[in-house]
Amino acid sequence: MRTPIITTLLVAAALGGCAGAPGQETSPEQLTVQVVSTLPHDPAAFTEGLEFAGDTLYESTGLAGQSMLTAGPPGGPPQTTATLPSPLFGEGVTVLGPTLWQLTWQDGFAIERDSKTLAELRRVPFQGEGWGLCHQADGRLVMSNGSSRLTFRDPKTFAVTGGVDVGRDQLNELECVGGDVYANVWHTDTILRVDAATGHVTAMIDAGQLRAQLNRTGTEDVLNGIAAVPGTDEFLLTGKQWQVTFRVRFVPKND
């Protein structure tokens, strides 16, 4: 039996009203950065990955023939360094206790390393490009490849286990905090906060004031480094070949 047209329209309207309310409730927060302090940063570092493990800050840098992985105190000289042989191009990094994963850009593999010595343990191939990498509390890896998709990977095998689409291209360096993923959007001053379970963007963070303070206007010297400071609600932010790392809080943006 066909439903009368009037009834159908009323039901559709009711459902549309129900669907609209959650959409309004979950529209992205508009945030900006509040600078707490600044730290020196190596102006030669083409930053591709940034992450704390305890008090140690790990940084992966790119450019063929110049790619490195360093570990040490934030703002201080690195205590441990690993150089990637040319022509490898280093990308995102994430630390999983005694080991870590470091991505390469277009070289087709991830490198597993000893997190204390940074010595290479093995290489695991993957399809496509490698951009950003972080891990959640259960160890699940979250990876970006420059598209709008976040891919989940097994922390031991690096095999794909799933993923979500964020609806915004050029997701770059990542930082996992609880169930959220913070993602730099390449060639912008915007950081997205993404619900990893759904791919929904829950906040848009305007960090443009940082690059403006440094007077960086080049097409490549962009924001690209997020590291949550353990035990706080603060983050370290830096960019490609920036001379400064900013310690910030994310706060509501006043229009």
Side-chain angles (χ1 to χ4, degrees):
M1 180 180 71
R2 296 193 178 192
T3 304
I5 294 176
I6 294 178
T7 302
T8 301
L9 292 175
L10 289 173
V11 170
L15 291 174
C18 292
Q24 294 173 359
E25 294 171 2
T26 58
S27 59
E29 290 184 81
Q30 300 298 312
L31 304 177
T32 187
V33 294
Q34 178 186 73
V35 177
V36 176
S37 61
T38 60
L39 297 168
H41 181 252
D42 180 0
F46 199 75
T47 306
E48 299 290 359
L50 200 67
E51 185 172 284
F52 268 105
D55 296 330
T56 301
L57 184 66
Y58 290 77
E59 182 169 7
S60 177
T61 65
L63 297 178
Q66 301 179 42
S67 295
M68 299 178 66
L69 178 64
T70 62
Q79 296 173 335
T80 314
T81 301
T83 301
L84 278 69
S86 184
L88 300 185
F89 192 117
E91 285 281 350
V93 65
T94 195
V95 185
L96 295 160
T99 62
L100 64 81
W101 286 105
Q102 182 184 23
L103 296 177
T104 59
W105 178 32
Q106 295 177 321
D107 303 294
F109 59 84
I111 303 171
E112 186 179 33
R113 296 181 181 275
D114 181 290
S115 60
K116 291 189 179 297
T117 66
L118 304 187
E120 183 175 324
L121 301 176
R122 60 174 171 151
R123 298 182 180 186
V124 177
F126 65 82
Q127 296 294 317
E129 296 186 356
W131 286 42
L133 192 66
C134 64
H135 73 277
Q136 298 184 286
D138 61 0
R140 181 175 72 170
L141 303 179
V142 184
M143 175 178 158
S144 63
N145 64 2
S147 71
S148 63
R149 188 166 180 80
L150 295 176
T151 300
F152 305 138
R153 292 182 177 273
D154 184 276
K156 292 185 178 180
T157 66
F158 213 72
V160 174
T161 61
V164 291
D165 193 276
V166 176
R168 180 71 181 262
D169 286 334
Q170 296 194 318
L171 302 180
N172 204 350
E173 213 269 317
L174 306 178
E175 179 73 0
C176 293
V177 180
D180 294 325
V181 177
Y182 291 83
N184 280 290
V185 181
W186 189 44
H187 280 166
T188 78
D189 297 313
T190 299
I191 297 170
L192 305 181
R193 187 182 69 205
V194 179
D195 182 335
T198 63
H200 181 67
V201 176
T202 60
M204 299 183 67
I205 304 160
D206 179 3
Q209 63 169 285
L210 304 182
R211 195 152 72 117
Q213 286 184 40
L214 298 175
N215 195 29
R216 304 305 293 265
T217 58
T219 59
E220 292 301 326
D221 56 359
V222 293
L223 181 75
N224 199 45
I226 317 171
V229 180
T232 75
D233 62 351
E234 299 170 359
F235 294 78
L236 294 187
L237 301 183
T238 193
K240 298 172 185 281
Q241 298 177 328
W242 287 14
Q243 69 269 33
V244 170
T245 297
F246 295 89
R247 183 164 176 158
V248 305
R249 293 188 184 95
F250 298 144
V251 297
K253 185 176 183 180
N254 297 318
D255 294 329

